[in-house]
Amino acid sequence: SQWCPAQVSGAIKRWVKKVGILDIGDAVIEAMCETGMVSDIADLYTVEEKDLSALELSGRRVGSSASTILANLHAKKELPLHVLLGSLGIHLMGRSMCKKLVDAGYDDLDKINAVDVKTLARVPGMGGTKAVAFVDGFQKSIGLISKLMMNGITVEAPSTGPMKGKTICMTGFRD
């Protein structure tokens, strides 16, 4: 389904702000959407520097700031699960609400995909309305989440539980 550029740029602006990507201004996002360079947030991660630097904003090219924009974008590819989910624009579900889900044990995409509305509604602070909105929004976002993963987004390992603060060193891998 093709969104209009305003919806696409709105979704991308929200993602950039929530994920904390610096130096990507609204004008750059709007120009990327209007030219068809990006049609969703996942496309941000496939933009090439040569294309971005040639992009024109009010008669000026993005130019050398393209490398800074892309460096900042790619520096934020590993995201905590609640930031990933809370930045997708699922109705009623911001990062703090998604953090409650993760803290309640829904700490990976498979668990979240498997949970039903009734179970989710029991998470403190959720309730029925938010649970319905989340399940519906998550199901609609699965394709986008998959595309984000294919384009290099990863979910940060949870920072709680028995492995908190531990580093794992693995040796002896063979090709």
Side-chain angles (χ1 to χ4, degrees), residues 91-93 97 100-101 116-135:
H91 185 57
L92 303 175
M93 296 302 297
M97 198 62 236
K100 290 179 183 174
L101 283 183
D116 61 80
V117 170
K118 205 184 288 178
T119 308
L120 208 53
R122 292 195 291 265
V123 171
M126 263 311 253
T129 308
K130 285 181 184 167
V132 169
F134 180 79
V135 170

Side-chain angles (χ1 to χ4, degrees), residues 72-94:
N72 290 341
L73 181 70
H74 291 286
K76 294 279 191 172
K77 280 176 118 170
E78 188 184 23
L79 301 171
L81 183 58
H82 73 279
V83 172
L84 170 67
L85 295 173
S87 302
L88 291 171
I90 297 173
H91 185 57
L92 303 175
M93 296 302 297

